[in-house]
Amino acid sequence: MKPDWDALGSEYADSKTVVIGDVDCTAAGKPLCEKYGVRGYPTIKYFNPPDEEGSDYKGGRSLDDLKKFAANELGPGCSVDALENCSEAQKKELEQYIAMPPEERASMLDSLKEELKTAEAKHEALLKELQATYKESMDSLEKLKEESAPKIKLLKAASPAPTAAPTKDEM
């Protein structure tokens, strides 16, 4: 995937609206990756202004897939400051939020972010619990295998080999 990603970056190198970049999450980029929830590699995140949270890219990983996505989906997004980037449907949906008092909009945004944060924490706790249960089960299985192996060997050794049935020569 890296060669295709680099080729996409070269194609958009001079773009004034699209930046293609990469971050090494195992080195200096680790804090940035943690901030945006990157857990597996390679992960592709994209940000279209005014989005500051980013979204996970779930499309294909070939150069053609990446080019198509970049051409159709990347660039300045729909916002109150860039209504020219909005479809009619987006404008209609945006109107209800534009009409809200700023405090209500901010409160709604904070509430949704808190709900997501709580759900992520609950998910992480469940993941840790499942990992612990899996480890416990795996350890128990390995212990049983170790304890059983000598007895299984002796039981097999104590059993006579099956004798082949005599064959008849017919003419």
Side-chain angles (χ1 to χ4, degrees):
M1 188 189 135
K2 178 80 168 121
D4 288 341
W5 186 255
D6 290 342
L8 184 70
S10 296
E11 190 164 317
Y12 281 89
D14 297 326
S15 174
K16 295 191 183 338
T17 58
V18 175
V19 174
I20 305 293
D22 48 57
V23 175
D24 183 350
C25 292
T26 63
K30 190 172 183 177
L32 185 64
C33 295
E34 288 173 355
K35 176 180 179 181
Y36 291 106
V38 175
R39 292 183 182 88
Y41 313 107
T43 295
I44 299 175
K45 301 282 273 187
Y46 65 96
F47 301 78
N48 281 330
D51 175 22
E52 295 176 0
E53 305 294 321
S55 299
D56 291 334
Y57 171 73
K58 300 197 185 314
R61 301 295 175 108
S62 72
L63 182 56
D64 287 339
D65 292 330
L66 295 168
K67 279 182 172 180
K68 183 178 177 184
F69 180 80
N72 296 327
E73 303 293 332
L74 297 182
C78 170
S79 74
V80 69
D81 297 323
L83 289 173
E84 67 277 5
N85 295 329
C86 302
S87 67
E88 289 306 313
Q90 288 173 317
K91 286 179 185 175
K92 187 175 181 179
E93 193 172 354
L94 194 58
E95 281 300 321
Q96 68 178 322
Y97 298 111
I98 292 171
M100 274 183 190
E103 302 79 26
E104 184 180 346
R105 210 171 30 246
S107 174
M108 183 181 268
L109 182 60
D110 289 344
S111 176
L112 288 170
K113 285 182 177 181
E114 187 59 35
E115 185 178 344
L116 282 170
K117 187 177 175 182
T118 301
E120 284 176 356
K122 185 177 178 183
H123 175 76
E124 288 300 318
L126 176 62
L127 180 61
K128 284 182 181 179
E129 182 182 321
L130 290 171
Q131 287 172 331
T133 302
Y134 175 82
K135 183 179 179 339
E136 197 176 290
S137 175
M138 193 64 158
D139 291 347
S140 176
L141 178 61
E142 287 303 315
K143 182 179 177 190
L144 180 61
K145 283 180 180 179
E146 284 178 27
E147 291 172 351
S148 301
K151 192 181 282 186
I152 289 172
K153 260 187 176 177
L154 288 171
L155 287 168
K156 286 181 179 179
S159 301
T163 56
T167 57
K168 295 182 188 177
D169 287 337
E170 290 186 27
M171 297 204 120

